Amino acid sequence: MRALPLVLLLASGTAFAQEPDFSKVEIKTTKLTDQLYVLEGMGGNIAVSVGEDGVILVDDQFAPLSPKILAAVAKLSKKPLRFVINTHWHGDHVGGNENMTGAGAVIVAHENVRKRMSTKQFLKSWNMTTEAQPKAALPVVTFTSDIAFHFNGETVHVIHLDPAHTDGDSFVWFEKANVVHTGDVFSTVGYPIVDLDSGGSYFGFIAAADRFLATGDAKTRLVPGHGAVSSKADVQAWKTMLTTIGDRVKKGRDQKQSLDQIKASKPTGEYEARYGKGFMKSDRLLETVYQSLGN
Ligand SMILES: [Zn+2]
């Protein structure tokens, strides 16, 4: 898949001049509870639920990493891989789907994930084309609003969000473990990546942050699509950043400022040091905020 480095670039915040060398990637496993782990390699963070009923993965990074990911999972459980939940359609989260289907998993995602993966996608903002995916890579079970798994003595809620990163975003709430996997609707490595060409919207990130804050309790841990396992306080700080920048852009537009004038007023100001080094540079972010405001 030639578009791979660009998808990677899009989501991971790192630019690659050529195809990344997956052979050098090591999978790092972090234990959150006896039954829930996070795997980091290259691409989106993976959550792993293990227990008497088998294994559930949330997202599966890139196809070349599947053997390493499955080896890391095998160290946590000898039970079969039963389900993979995709938080959205981007290649750094669903790239291993075909291999995971081959390993016995049933892929589950919002219906828009299947729709986008089934057809050729062109992302104008990044001049990136992704071909339609083979059948074995596609979600077999789709839902429109939410779905729950009663598995491993746990209730796993998969809940669709209004358009934010894409139009097919879901977050996954492991109720007993008290952990939320947010997909790319929350990140600790940069500004939000608003994929407008996949139906995303900047303001959806703020609504989603409210959903995350309302889920679980004060001790709920959040696994972002990219970056470090976080607390509710981290999500609150993220939401404040999103709201502050959104309000500044809206104010400028209400005052009939052009996008260039808004950019010149530096609405990302105090957040540049913390978030400005990711994939989304300030100017590009402001374009997506501006466009998300509509007419
Ligand atoms: Zn993504």
Side-chain angles (χ1 to χ4, degrees), residues 191-258:
Y191 290 126
I193 297 171
V194 187
D195 182 356
L196 295 170
D197 302 307
S198 296
S201 165
Y202 178 84
F203 295 93
F205 279 83
I206 298 173
D210 279 329
R211 296 288 297 274
F212 302 151
L213 291 169
T215 300
D217 59 23
K219 293 202 171 86
T220 303
R221 285 176 288 180
L222 299 107
V223 179
H226 300 268
V229 177
S230 298
S231 67
K232 285 278 178 82
D234 297 323
V235 176
Q236 184 61 57
W238 164 259
K239 186 193 155 187
T240 300
M241 176 273 290
L242 297 173
T243 306
T244 304
I245 294 171
D247 285 349
R248 286 171 183 165
V249 174
K250 183 170 186 307
K251 194 171 161 213
R253 212 198 56 157
D254 289 348
Q255 293 169 351
K256 310 281 185 241
Q257 289 180 8
S258 69

Side-chain angles (χ1 to χ4, degrees), residues 10-11 88 90 92-93 165-166 184 193 226:
L10 183 92
H88 63 292
H90 287 153
D92 59 326
H93 296 257
H165 182 59
T166 70
D184 282 356
I193 297 171
H226 300 268

Side-chain angles (χ1 to χ4, degrees), residues 86-89 109-114 116 143 158-171 185 198-200:
N86 293 149
T87 58
H88 63 292
W89 78 275
H110 184 264
E111 63 176 8
N112 288 345
V113 174
R114 184 177 164 98
R116 292 196 180 277
F143 58 91
V158 187
I159 302 165
H160 176 53
L161 291 159
D162 288 338
H165 182 59
T166 70
D167 62 5
D169 303 324
S170 299
F171 70 101
V185 185
S198 296

Side-chain angles (χ1 to χ4, degrees), residues 84 86 89 94 96-99 101 105-110 113-119 131-142:
V84 173
N86 293 149
W89 78 275
V94 307
N97 275 11
E98 193 173 1
N99 295 332
T101 297
V106 172
I107 314 285
V108 183
H110 184 264
V113 174
R114 184 177 164 98
K115 275 183 198 161
R116 292 196 180 277
M117 289 181 71
S118 311
T119 53
E131 298 299 329
Q133 310 278 310
K135 181 168 170 274
L138 302 178
V140 170
V141 176
T142 60

